[in-house]
Structure formats: structure tokens, C-alpha cells
Amino acid sequence: MNSSFHLFPESASLAAGRYDTLMLSLTALLCVVALAVLVAIAGSVIRYHEHRPADRSHPPLANKPLEIAWTTIPLLVFLGIFAWAAHDYTLLAQETAGALPVTVVARQWMWKLEHANGKREINELHVPLGQAVQLTMTSQDVIHSFYVPAFRIKQDVVPGRYTTLRFTATHAGVYRLFCAEYCGTDHAAMQGRIVVMPPAEFARWLDADVGPETTAARGSALFRHYGCAACHDAGATVQAPRLDGLMGRTVTLQDGRTVTADAAYVRDAILTPHKDIVAGYAPIMPTYQGQIDEQDILAIIEYLRSMGAADASTSR
Ligand code: CUA
């Protein structure tokens, strides 16, 4: 990071090149349009200056072909750009198999990040070069926004819901992370660093000084600590849905609706258990609102995910 002026930030992710191409093409196109309008204005100003002997006897009132052309051509061009941008956006959002999962909890005014092996970071995220990373993000208080200019990615981090971001870093180095949503007094100081390392170096870093347990193991302990196991474990006397193989499954609710059991569903089930009652069960689960923090919920979700997909026909 030197102090010299750059028109663009460094470009260090797969999306960055695509985004720059789109942005520059759009800018070039707008320049061409602006130039054409300018030339037409200047030309008319000169040609029809009051002291010039231009023919003013039959001013054209309409020119259908011209009007159709200047309506249709820009429409098609901009629809094309829309399709292009939409295509790039779907690439950005595309499910990347084997993406490295990282959870992000934002709060006033810091970023708390956790890798699947339980390694935690604050205001700093280490990622491997060339491997897709998937962030699952939420906020503990107000809306923040995870913004890495060098990767050309930005996503709001919203309390009460999970948002995701995927990126693949293409250059090793250190890049700045900003909060891009005004979130109070120290918003401007809510910054961090993304450290992109060669895969082998990253693997060493990830395994060094790692905590005693993986996120899933911590989730398992929390599952017992908060008493979830008392009802949801096999052999529990209270009738509650079994949770192994839950993640990703379609769940049928009491009112006949079906939902996919994703992270957001599990979070809702913990905090507002009476909202979506699973078909065949009584609404007896207490709410954990205000008793469990976001990082613990994410750990429990990781634990449920680690239990894998069970036989889809059992325990709806
Ligand atoms: Cu967090 Cu601005």
C-alpha cells in the first residue's frame, strides 16, 4: 500500500477483473454517448448561429426512423449490459463446491471471524490463494457492511439474518477490509485486513495455535450446555424432532408449508421456535432469544452440519 494515487484499487480476486471490465466498458460507452450529444449540440450551435445563412424555411417536425433508432438501439445496448452484469453477478453468487467456510459476526466496532477448525480472528482474515472462500455473516447489533475493495466485493451484514459472500483471491498479499455502512461513532475505525497466503503456508497458519476444539465440537458442547440435547438427542423422552441430517433437508411445517433447513431456518428455530412448528410436534420449545450469542448459534449450526445428511425419509 503506497501513497501514490490509483484510479482503481489493486485487483486481487476472480471477480475483480470481471467487474473492472464491465465498469470500464460501461464508462467507455457513456463517454461515447456523451461525446455524440456534445458534438450534435456544438454542431447545431455553429451551423444555426443567428448570423449564419442556414436554411430555416422547413424545420423538420418529426423523423420517425431516427426516433425509432435512438429509442431501440440504446434499449438493446443497455439490456445487453444488464444481461452481462446479471451473468457476472450469478458467477459471484454461484455455489462453489468445497468453498472454505468462514463465519463473520460484526459488532460495534469490530469483525469477529471463525474458521471451521475453531480458529478465531479479530479484524483479520487469513485465506488461501486460489481457493474459494464462503463467508456466512451476521451482526450482533446494527447493520454493517463487509467491503474489500481489492476483491470488488461488498455485502451488508444485517442483525437477525445471514448474508453470504464468496470470493477467490488471486494474488497473495494484504488487503484492506472496511465497514461500508455507517454504524456509529467508530464506524470509520471498523477496519481490518485480509491476508492472502499461498495454500501450504495457509495450511500451516490454520493448524498453528488452533484452539482445543473445532467449531463443530464447540457447537456440540453448546448443544448440551443450552439443554438442546435433552429433547433433541436420540433416546430423549420429550418428543422433539431429531436433528441429525437436518441441514439442507426439506422440512414440512404444521401449517403445510415446507421450508429448507438452512442456517437461517435453524437460527429462527432457536430464537423464535414458535414461528415455524414442525408438523407432528407440539410447540413446547422455549425461546433462546437474549440467552445465546450469534457466534454460539453459528457453532451449533456448524455442529448440525457436521452430523451430515441422514436418510431423508426419517424424522421430518
Ligand atoms: Cu460497522 Cu460501519
Side-chain angles (χ1 to χ4, degrees), residues 107 109 111 143-145 179-183 187 190:
R107 53 165 291 200
W109 288 276
W111 300 101
I143 301 176
H144 304 270
S145 183
C179 177
E181 183 74 47
Y182 181 67
C183 56
H187 157 71
M190 192 169 164

Side-chain angles (χ1 to χ4, degrees), residues 197-206:
M197 310 166 103
E201 202 180 313
F202 173 77
R204 272 198 302 279
W205 174 88
L206 192 64

